[in-house]
Amino acid sequence: MRTIYLNQNATAWVTQKRQIDQSFGAELFFYHENKRTSVAHIYNAQGELEKITQIREQWGNFPEYSPRETLTQLSGSWIGEKQSITPDLKLSEPEKVDEFVFDPTHGKNQCIFLPDGVVCYLQKSVKFGESFEITAGQFVSDQEYKRITAEYDESGVFIRLTCEIFHRIN
């Protein structure tokens, strides 16, 4: 496993290369104010999704609130920015994103909602010879959504971590 720090909004702990007969996964970290939420997608040795774990942390004291049980409203116009980093630590320039697409997998993965505005885009199984992504997002407020994606190539090698941050403009 390897830790990849992209910026103050995105960090991940990723499997560098999927190995035959070994479990693998990624843990994606979202930061906002004095809170950190992480979501781990864990796959078994056969490439089947085994579990999802969500961890909530608040620096300095115990969480002052219960997790939000409902997702904030998606209506309105959103604009964003995305940035990526590769395993050799080459950082892309920030890119403007004019269109907010809620499901970046376009229905390929199952979308589930967790407390605190967390959204997971789950690929139920991963096969050798096919590229795949481990993606999660979080509505850190009614006006801001962060999404992190760990991308893997057809041989199971980690190739890129991407962070997207969207802001509601109306």
Side-chain angles (χ1 to χ4, degrees), residues 18 46-48 123 125-132 153-154:
R18 182 179 174 204
Q46 292 73 42
E48 302 296 320
Q123 192 162 333
S125 68
V126 173
K127 296 175 178 48
F128 279 105
E130 295 179 8
S131 61
F132 64 95
D153 68 13
E154 296 82 9

Side-chain angles (χ1 to χ4, degrees), residues 45-110:
Q46 292 73 42
E48 302 296 320
L49 182 64
E50 187 172 73
K51 61 183 153 192
I52 308 160
T53 302
Q54 177 183 4
I55 301 170
R56 299 173 57 230
E57 297 174 281
Q58 184 170 324
W59 293 296
N61 54 13
F62 289 103
E64 299 168 354
Y65 63 93
S66 298
R68 293 181 300 179
E69 294 297 326
T70 58
L71 185 64
T72 56
Q73 219 181 72
L74 295 174
S75 64
S77 296
W78 295 76
I79 58 167
E81 186 174 274
K82 74 177 181 177
Q83 188 172 28
S84 299
I85 190 167
T86 57
D88 59 359
L89 304 181
K90 289 185 180 163
L91 191 61
S92 72
E93 290 296 321
E95 255 179 75
K96 187 177 177 184
V97 180
D98 293 322
E99 183 182 1
F100 175 60
V101 177
F102 181 69
D103 180 1
T105 72
H106 305 286
K108 177 182 172 189
N109 296 354
Q110 179 184 2

